[in-house]
Amino acid sequence: MRRKNVMTMVAAVCLLLMVTLSFSCCCNNKIDVEREVARAIHRDKPCLEHVYEDEKWDSVYILLPYQDPHQLGLRISHSDLKNLGNLSLADQYCTLIFGHKGGLVAYSAIKRSVVDFSNIKGRKFHRGYVFQMKD
């Protein structure tokens, strides 16, 4: 009888651990599109429309270094909010946040040495927006 209780307890702990791990994985929406962004921005008509096509998105937000992610007005999960807050503490990155209907879909840190979005006026752009990049 005691062994059955221990086995039940172990099974419950394993199930809880699996649920926790799967939830934490699904809430982290960090992607790496830096290379695609660099290629897209250096074209004749710099646009981010096709740099990320795994999910549906309608707008891109630019999170600057030291900017509070809350200022963007997006619905963001707690884990993504924490990660974005940590990314914004790094001076060498701007973070692109792909959104859909006011919610975060995915985000990618872009090195400012690759593409510097910090001088662009505005923080929210529709999917097909053509950027005016300064050298």
Side-chain angles (χ1 to χ4, degrees):
M1 186 75 150
R2 195 169 187 74
R3 182 172 166 87
K4 184 177 181 182
N5 287 342
V6 170
M7 293 301 286
T8 302
M9 181 70 93
V10 168
V13 168
C14 287
L15 180 62
L16 181 61
L17 183 60
M18 287 174 36
V19 168
T20 302
L21 286 175
S22 66
F23 180 72
S24 67
C25 291
C26 75
C27 293
N28 186 351
N29 295 302
K30 186 174 183 182
I31 58 172
D32 183 6
V33 292
E34 185 175 73
R35 184 176 301 150
E36 292 84 359
V37 168
R39 275 191 242 132
I41 289 298
H42 292 102
R43 291 189 181 128
D44 288 339
K45 290 188 175 184
C47 179
L48 301 177
E49 186 170 11
H50 299 292
V51 299
Y52 178 61
E53 295 186 347
D54 291 349
E55 300 286 335
K56 189 174 181 179
W57 61 279
D58 56 19
S59 53
V60 64
Y61 298 75
I62 299 173
L63 181 67
L64 298 176
Y66 311 112
Q67 183 181 11
D68 181 353
H70 285 104
Q71 292 176 334
L72 299 174
L74 279 163
R75 289 184 317 277
I76 304 173
S77 72
H78 179 71
S79 64
D80 285 330
L81 192 58
K82 183 178 176 183
N83 290 336
L84 287 169
N86 289 336
L87 278 172
S88 73
L89 295 176
D91 188 54
Q92 67 268 26
Y93 294 100
C94 284
T95 304
L96 297 182
I97 300 172
F98 299 91
H100 183 67
K101 295 184 179 179
L104 180 144
V105 173
Y107 62 92
S108 182
I110 309 297
K111 288 185 198 107
R112 291 175 66 193
S113 61
V114 174
V115 178
D116 190 358
F117 287 100
S118 65
N119 295 322
I120 293 178
K121 300 248 187 261
R123 296 293 159 246
K124 178 184 177 185
F125 305 92
H126 63 84
R127 183 176 176 137
Y129 182 82
V130 177
F131 288 84
Q132 301 298 317
M133 303 300 294
K134 298 176 184 176
D135 292 330

